[in-house]
Amino acid sequence: MTNILHETLEKHWGYSSFRPLQEDIIHAVLNGQDTLGLMPTGGGKSITFQVPAMIMKGLCIVVTPLIALMKDQVDNLRARDIKATTVYSGMTADEINKHFDNCIYGDYKFLYISPERLHTDLFKRKLPLMNVCLLVVDESHCISQWGYDFRPSYLHIADIRKALPENTPVLALTATATPEVVDDIQEKLLFRKKNVLKKSFVRENLAYIVRNTENKMEELVHILERVDGTAIVYVRNRKHTQDIAKTLQQAGFSAHFFHAGLNRDEKTERQDAWKKGTCRIIVSTNAFGMGIDKPDVRLVIHMDMPNSLEEYFQEAGRAGRDEKKAYAIALCASTETSKLKKRMSDEYPDKKFILRVYEALGNYLQIAVGFGAFKTHDFSLPNFCRIFKFPAAQTHNALKILESAGYIEYVEEPDNSSRLLFLANRDELYKMDFDKLSDDIIQVILRSYTGLFADYVFIDESLIATRVHSTREAVYNSLIMLSKTHIINYIPRKKLPQIIFTRNREEKRHVTIPRNTFEDRRKRTENRVGKVIEYITESRFCRTRMLLRYFGEKSDKDCSICDVCLSKNQSGLKNWEFNKVKDALLLRLEKNTSESILTLARELPLEKEKNIQVIRFLLDHDERITLKDSIISLIR
């Protein structure tokens, strides 16, 4: 079996060996075991299900909330001549039906699907007809209400399990999970037997640093001048990405901004420039980085802290994947704690306000009470807030709470890609007369994309325009004309967010926000924010050990490279040096009760002078340790 795995890996992906933990997870899947794989950011999660699925007979269903990542993975698989397709909110009914039929009859290996599609009647009818060999749950922490990114739609995955043959294994994957979330994932996914495979969260090359400053921009420039290499700068606000990137450009840095509001062409261009090194710094919201495997990032700098250590750890972990020295730096002003608390209060607005938003939403979309289930509506949050005079941040979060309560689906970032399917076959195309531009466009599309006659394919109008020496607008108009004559089915990209009522509109007085959706989640958010505040304000304990403890991993030594470890304490030594000697001294005294001061000075972990410096400090400050006749003793 090992030979087959390595042959499959090399044949389709061109790698000669697996990364740590990948092969262990693959063997567990092939043995039919339900498995939770905890792999750090950049650990190569996709290989753990793509390789075994190629060996197994049948279809691998991959549940993931990340539409952009779905599309990228499907494109990558198709480029390797592997049949894969994707279904998510916002696609037409005919399009979805065709994708499902391809999975039933077309010998497809992978179906990527958003969790929102799992409870639709169409999927429930089609699922029993699919020969499913493996169910994969990516970002599996989303199924846990203990997690930082709980999504109610993930709870439908348990229903899928019940509809599959009993021996179909489930592979759950995530980069970050606390012990409570680890247990909850396995329970919610109906694991037949607990089985967690994980890699240590320790990153020995990554220095975690908290820098206190009232002028973050000045400090950012200072850091970028002192540390060479590629960098990501994270902020919470789209406008700030543009402002900071402009300031960095004016300071002479190669920098650009990135956020979910950019169109596909802009995203691709900036991402490629950064990956190739022609752009050194990307200033971004959390929209940047997911699924991007760039090993040589030397700096990840947070201008604003996220609401949880899970998010921070995942974003910071994009630095130093090549295992060379890298830095994760949080820039914190004196107002940081109050900003985090204010953000949390905005995240949970008053329940009466949430009900007002629900009622206003039905009026805005012109949905009558008792109607509207599963209809998709384009939605402009700024326009909605302007009409009803609602505050934007609280309204956004009210919509997310209504989504968690099961009343709506709020698709903030619909896929920006256009899609195309040929309705006419090749023979019919050759017999048709087209104007020159349309003929050129058809030829370029046929040369540039595969599978166009069997499935909807993502296309890039700007790329096509370049290749036919025309404009994007002209290509768009030509494709619309070809679609009207039923030669193709062309679905232009959508830019606006979307609202989908997941049940008929209720009267406001009948809308209920469950305790587990509001009060319980607010309490858990308070706890998570509290841990972030503790992380950025604590100046005594190693930051790596603080993060490891949060994720339930014990470590008995300081990292020696974070800002806390490198700062000096009252003994005059760096914290990590002092703690290393102190821990070794106490361990020896607990075993032997007393030891010669000369022996300890010689045999404790650092050089003699530093060992004596720690001993002297402890004799002055720790009442448990005494010295008599050159013998150090521990009073129990």
Side-chain angles (χ1 to χ4, degrees):
M1 179 58 73
T2 300
N3 288 340
I4 295 174
L5 292 178
H6 283 267
E7 288 169 7
T8 303
L9 181 70
E10 188 154 11
K11 176 183 176 182
H12 293 288
W13 286 272
Y15 301 135
S16 58
S17 61
F18 290 98
R19 293 183 187 178
L21 198 66
Q22 284 180 332
E23 203 163 355
D24 294 331
I25 294 175
I26 290 169
H27 280 295
V29 168
L30 292 174
N31 288 332
Q33 296 174 274
D34 294 337
T35 304
L36 171 56
L38 288 177
M39 302 183 72
T41 304
K45 289 188 292 181
S46 60
I47 289 292
T48 63
F49 61 85
Q50 289 174 349
V51 168
M54 292 302 295
I55 297 170
M56 303 164 83
K57 291 183 179 179
L59 175 74
C60 173
I61 295 180
V62 185
V63 181
T64 175
L66 304 167
I67 293 175
L69 197 58
M70 280 190 212
K71 183 214 166 292
D72 287 342
Q73 292 211 5
V74 167
D75 284 350
N76 288 334
L77 288 166
R78 286 177 173 176
R80 293 177 168 83
D81 293 324
I82 298 171
K83 285 189 173 183
T85 191
T86 179
V87 170
Y88 49 85
S89 299
M91 295 172 68
T92 66
D94 287 344
E95 194 178 3
I96 292 170
N97 194 55
K98 187 172 185 64
H99 282 278
F100 285 154
D101 283 346
N102 281 338
C103 292
I104 296 169
Y105 306 112
D107 197 27
Y108 273 63
K109 290 302 299 181
F110 296 93
L111 167 62
Y112 285 77
I113 187 167
S114 64
E116 292 79 17
R117 306 311 305 172
L118 302 179
H119 68 291
T120 60
D121 290 338
L122 179 60
F123 181 69
K124 289 176 181 177
R125 291 199 308 271
K126 298 287 187 178
L127 179 61
L129 303 175
M130 299 178 189
N131 178 26
V132 179
C133 63
L134 175 62
L135 175 61
V136 178
V137 184
D138 198 12
E139 307 297 330
S140 59
H141 59 270
C142 294
I143 202 171
S144 174
Q145 294 197 51
W146 295 101
Y148 72 94
D149 194 20
F150 170 65
R151 305 196 185 193
S153 54
Y154 262 68
L155 297 175
H156 298 299
I157 299 173
D159 297 330
I160 291 182
R161 277 220 78 169
K162 296 170 185 175
L164 295 175
E166 190 176 346
N167 61 347
T168 306
V170 169
L171 173 60
L173 296 167
T174 184
T176 50
T178 61
E180 295 88 353
V181 172
V182 166
D183 288 339
D184 206 25
I185 289 171
Q186 295 175 89
E187 180 184 331
K188 292 289 195 304
L189 289 175
L190 308 178
F191 270 38
R192 293 162 292 184
K193 182 181 178 182
K194 287 194 173 184
N195 182 34
V196 182
L197 297 176
K198 66 178 182 178
K199 187 179 178 183
S200 171
F201 288 119
V202 173
R203 296 285 304 278
E204 293 183 353
N205 64 309
L206 183 56
Y208 295 100
I209 295 169
V210 174
R211 190 68 56 82
N212 294 305
T213 176
E214 297 307 313
N215 190 330
K216 293 186 180 183
M217 197 65 229
E218 183 179 275
E219 188 62 29
L220 174 64
V221 170
H222 175 68
I223 292 167
L224 291 168
E225 286 175 340
R226 293 192 61 186
V227 181
D228 294 330
T230 305
I232 306 174
V233 178
Y234 281 115
V235 297
R236 301 283 300 185
N237 180 287
R238 290 184 182 183
K239 185 177 184 302
H240 290 168
T241 65
Q242 191 167 356
D243 294 341
I244 292 171
K246 184 176 180 180
T247 302
L248 291 176
Q249 290 167 0
Q250 291 171 344
F253 295 101
S254 170
H256 229 314
F257 65 93
F258 190 102
H259 55 69
L262 299 175
N263 66 45
R264 176 172 160 73
D265 295 339
E266 291 171 319
K267 287 180 180 178
T268 301
E269 179 187 349
R270 293 173 193 191
Q271 185 172 298
D272 288 348
W274 180 78
K275 288 174 74 172
K276 291 174 183 175
T278 54
C279 172
R280 179 191 171 195
I281 304 158
I282 282 286
V283 185
S284 178
T285 60
N286 61 2
F288 186 79
M290 190 65 67
I292 296 172
D293 189 9
K294 182 171 172 60
D296 60 343
V297 179
R298 301 272 67 84
L299 278 165
V300 170
I301 302 172
H302 279 79
M303 302 291 277
D304 306 299
M305 285 297 286
N307 285 356
S308 72
L309 289 180
E310 289 97 327
E311 292 172 89
Y312 178 72
F313 188 78
Q314 191 172 72
E315 292 167 8
R318 291 177 181 132
R321 293 182 190 171
D322 56 4
E323 299 187 358
K324 296 178 182 177
K325 186 67 178 289
Y327 301 88
I329 304 174
L331 299 182
C332 298
S334 57
T335 56
E336 213 68 35
T337 295
S338 59
K339 280 169 60 179
L340 281 163
K341 291 179 178 178
K342 170 67 167 60
R343 201 189 303 156
M344 192 197 68
S345 66
D346 283 344
E347 196 169 325
Y348 292 91
D350 184 79
K351 277 190 176 182
K352 290 181 180 178
F353 176 75
I354 297 171
L355 299 181
R356 286 175 56 206
V357 169
Y358 178 80
E359 185 174 45
L361 187 63
N363 296 336
Y364 178 75
L365 299 176
Q366 298 183 330
I367 299 171
V369 171
F371 295 89
F374 297 109
K375 296 284 179 63
T376 300
H377 305 267
D378 289 340
F379 177 73
S380 168
L381 180 64
N383 188 47
F384 178 68
C385 291
R386 180 181 57 78
I387 290 172
F388 293 96
K389 296 181 172 55
F390 289 155
Q394 292 185 20
T395 303
H396 166 83
N397 288 309
L399 292 170
K400 299 305 289 183
I401 291 169
L402 288 167
E403 182 175 40
S404 294
Y407 287 96
I408 65 169
E409 183 186 335
Y410 179 28
V411 186
E412 296 178 71
E413 297 167 13
D415 183 71
N416 272 340
S417 302
S418 300
R419 305 186 292 281
L420 184 146
L421 167 71
F422 270 91
L423 302 177
N425 61 40
R426 287 184 184 272
D427 291 338
E428 291 170 334
L429 284 176
Y430 291 136
K431 296 174 184 176
M432 294 178 181
D433 289 325
F434 300 105
D435 61 79
K436 185 176 186 312
L437 178 59
S438 295
D439 188 58
D440 288 346
I441 289 171
I442 290 172
Q443 294 305 318
V444 164
I445 290 173
L446 291 173
R447 286 196 301 268
S448 303
Y449 305 98
T450 60
L452 291 153
F453 296 93
D455 207 345
Y456 285 88
V457 173
F458 295 99
I459 64 165
D460 183 339
E461 292 91 334
S462 297
L463 176 66
I464 296 168
T466 300
R467 291 180 178 175
V468 298
H469 307 292
S470 185
T471 65
R472 190 183 187 284
E473 183 180 5
V475 169
Y476 169 82
N477 291 332
S478 182
L479 292 175
I480 290 292
M481 183 272 293
L482 291 169
S483 189
K484 287 179 178 177
T485 55
H486 303 292
I487 295 165
I488 63 171
N489 192 350
Y490 169 56
I491 303 172
R493 68 186 184 189
K494 285 185 175 291
K495 297 180 181 179
L496 283 174
Q498 295 169 339
I499 293 285
I500 303 164
F501 270 62
T502 52
R503 61 173 82 173
N504 287 327
R505 180 184 172 184
E506 305 263 9
E507 290 185 23
K508 186 173 75 168
R509 60 194 174 95
H510 292 147
V511 176
T512 58
I513 309 298
R515 180 180 179 84
N516 65 353
T517 298
F518 193 81
E519 287 88 356
D520 292 350
R521 287 189 65 199
R522 180 171 59 187
K523 182 64 177 176
R524 288 193 286 270
T525 300
E526 285 176 359
N527 291 337
R528 282 194 290 272
V529 169
K531 292 296 183 182
V532 174
I533 291 171
E534 180 185 345
Y535 176 81
I536 63 176
T537 56
E538 181 57 68
S539 59
R540 296 169 298 168
F541 303 118
C542 167
R543 299 209 189 276
T544 294
R545 290 179 72 175
M546 288 177 69
L547 290 168
L548 294 178
R549 184 180 63 202
Y550 181 77
F551 291 112
E553 185 174 336
K554 293 181 179 179
S555 175
D556 58 1
K557 65 176 184 177
D558 293 340
C559 71
S560 79
I561 58 174
C562 73
D563 63 301
V564 174
C565 284
L566 292 177
S567 63
K568 291 185 177 182
N569 63 23
Q570 290 175 297
S571 71
L573 296 178
K574 292 174 182 175
N575 279 318
W576 75 268
E577 295 175 316
F578 177 83
N579 289 335
K580 188 169 186 176
V581 175
K582 183 191 75 171
D583 291 344
L585 173 63
L586 292 174
L587 184 64
R588 287 183 65 141
L589 292 178
E590 284 173 0
K591 287 182 178 179
N592 304 321
T593 306
S594 60
E595 290 244 18
S596 161
I597 190 170
L598 294 176
T599 301
L600 289 171
R602 187 172 61 251
E603 296 182 1
L604 287 174
L606 299 182
E607 54 266 34
K608 183 177 178 180
E609 291 77 12
K610 289 184 177 181
N611 291 335
I612 291 174
Q613 199 170 340
V614 174
I615 292 170
R616 285 174 176 166
F617 184 86
L618 290 173
L619 285 169
D620 290 338
H621 295 86
D622 193 327
E623 294 178 354
R624 298 172 299 166
I625 299 173
T626 62
L627 174 66
K628 185 177 181 180
D629 298 330
S630 298
I631 299 295
I632 298 287
S633 299
L634 180 66
I635 300 173
R636 297 181 184 276

